[in-house]
Amino acid sequence: MDEGQDSSGQDGGQDSDQGGGQDGGQGGGTGGGRDEGTRSAVLVALGANLLIAAAKTAAGLFSGSPALLSEAAHSVADSLNEVFLLLSLRRSRRAPDSDHPFGYGKERYFWSLLAAVGIFVLGGCFSFYQGVHALGGSEDETRSGYVAGLAVLLIALLAEGASLLRAVVQARRSEEGASDPALRTVLAEDGTAVIGVLLAAGGMVLHMTTGSPVGEAVASMAIGVLLMVVAFGLGRSAHQQLIGVSVDSELSDGIRELLARQPEIDTVEELLTMRLGLDSTLVAARIDLVGGLDSERVEEVSLRIRHDIHDKWPTADRVFLDITDARTEREVRARRQRPED
């Protein structure tokens, strides 16, 4: 059994690469075009956040507004995260090599995880601290500074809104937009930034009209909690991809049905899938063939099936077929599950 599994798996991997596996690593075709759109969205967000961060910091220090300083920290965190995302786009498109035979697609998820940590620490924790600190009041607050701060927030709202619109347009253009961690992070950052600006402005207006810092303190803490929640969601998604997650049930069921329809396959004993990146999927199937096939015919059938899978689902570029005996396989599985006497 072990010799048969090794031979089938190795052969399957080599033929799968010839059938299009390299495209997933080098970033040609659809993946490269989608990445250009994503990179454009990230660059727009980076430029907007750098300008907004500088303006918010200057206005926050001038006005002494904790909500404005919270928003400045938010923009600084977003700017750093966009640098991470640009790195992820560049590094994830490298071709497979001897050290990473399945490519570098998961680089996207690693850098997206770092971006989530940045949002949580630099944005969420600092904003929450500013809110708690603001409850004690501040002697540095000036009405003119608050007016200037509100003007900065208005400009920030327009810039963040434009960046969010750009990211939404790119997500709708791309079939994989919803699953692209870089684009998803930009959408989350820009959406959170728009909400954060509105919260900060509301808190500053309450402080100006009532003279109490409570409203602005609550706004700062609300911004912090919002950033923490968003960061947790992005980090959880990146974590699942990094440890290995299967493809969606629709794709998995489609591959299983294709295998079951092949006249040379008696049963599909097991089907395992894993996302290796946006353009690369590992498919490992343990199948039992009908009797009477010689070794040359088995090789032809195996090659045809792998090419059929890749032709129908181009992202399924790493296909491994393990030819096994169903009865023996089930007996071994039953022995493993049987409790020891």
Side-chain angles (χ1 to χ4, degrees), residues 195-266:
I195 298 174
V197 167
L198 294 175
L199 288 173
M204 291 175 68
V205 169
L206 283 175
H207 194 169
M208 290 175 63
T209 55
T210 65
S212 172
V214 174
E216 190 173 5
V218 171
S220 294
M221 288 187 284
I223 293 171
V225 171
L226 177 63
L227 291 173
M228 291 178 185
V229 171
V230 170
F232 178 80
L234 292 173
R236 183 172 181 271
S237 177
H239 167 258
Q240 290 177 339
Q241 297 287 352
L242 282 173
I243 64 176
V245 64
S246 64
V247 299
D248 59 83
S249 58
E250 182 179 356
L251 176 55
S252 180
D253 291 343
I255 295 175
R256 184 179 290 275
E257 290 175 5
L258 185 148
L259 292 172
R261 287 197 305 267
Q262 305 304 311
E264 298 86 358
I265 295 181
D266 188 13

Side-chain angles (χ1 to χ4, degrees), residues 61-66 133-134 136-143 146 207 213:
L61 293 174
F62 176 63
S63 65
S65 167
H133 181 70
S138 174
E139 298 178 355
D140 298 329
E141 302 161 0
T142 64
R143 188 173 185 84
Y146 266 52
H207 194 169

Side-chain angles (χ1 to χ4, degrees), residues 90-252:
R90 177 174 174 271
R91 295 177 63 86
S92 67
R93 304 306 302 180
R94 289 181 296 171
D97 52 38
S98 58
D99 291 330
H100 299 85
F102 291 112
Y104 291 81
K106 291 194 175 185
E107 285 267 12
R108 287 179 183 260
Y109 309 118
F110 169 74
W111 292 101
S112 295
L113 180 61
L114 290 187
V117 174
I119 294 173
F120 187 92
V121 176
L122 296 179
C125 293
F126 182 80
S127 296
F128 195 85
Y129 166 77
Q130 280 292 321
V132 174
H133 181 70
L135 290 175
S138 174
E139 298 178 355
D140 298 329
E141 302 161 0
T142 64
R143 188 173 185 84
S144 60
Y146 266 52
V147 173
L150 288 173
V152 169
L153 288 180
L154 177 59
I155 297 173
L157 181 62
L158 296 175
E160 298 286 9
S163 178
L164 176 60
L165 181 61
R166 176 68 180 82
V168 169
V169 170
Q170 174 58 27
R172 289 182 175 178
R173 286 178 180 174
S174 173
E175 294 180 358
E176 296 286 342
S179 60
D180 187 338
L183 189 56
R184 188 171 58 242
T185 301
V186 172
L187 285 167
E189 287 180 349
D190 288 344
T192 305
V194 169
I195 298 174
V197 167
L198 294 175
L199 288 173
M204 291 175 68
V205 169
L206 283 175
H207 194 169
M208 290 175 63
T209 55
T210 65
S212 172
V214 174
E216 190 173 5
V218 171
S220 294
M221 288 187 284
I223 293 171
V225 171
L226 177 63
L227 291 173
M228 291 178 185
V229 171
V230 170
F232 178 80
L234 292 173
R236 183 172 181 271
S237 177
H239 167 258
Q240 290 177 339
Q241 297 287 352
L242 282 173
I243 64 176
V245 64
S246 64
V247 299
D248 59 83
S249 58
E250 182 179 356
L251 176 55
S252 180

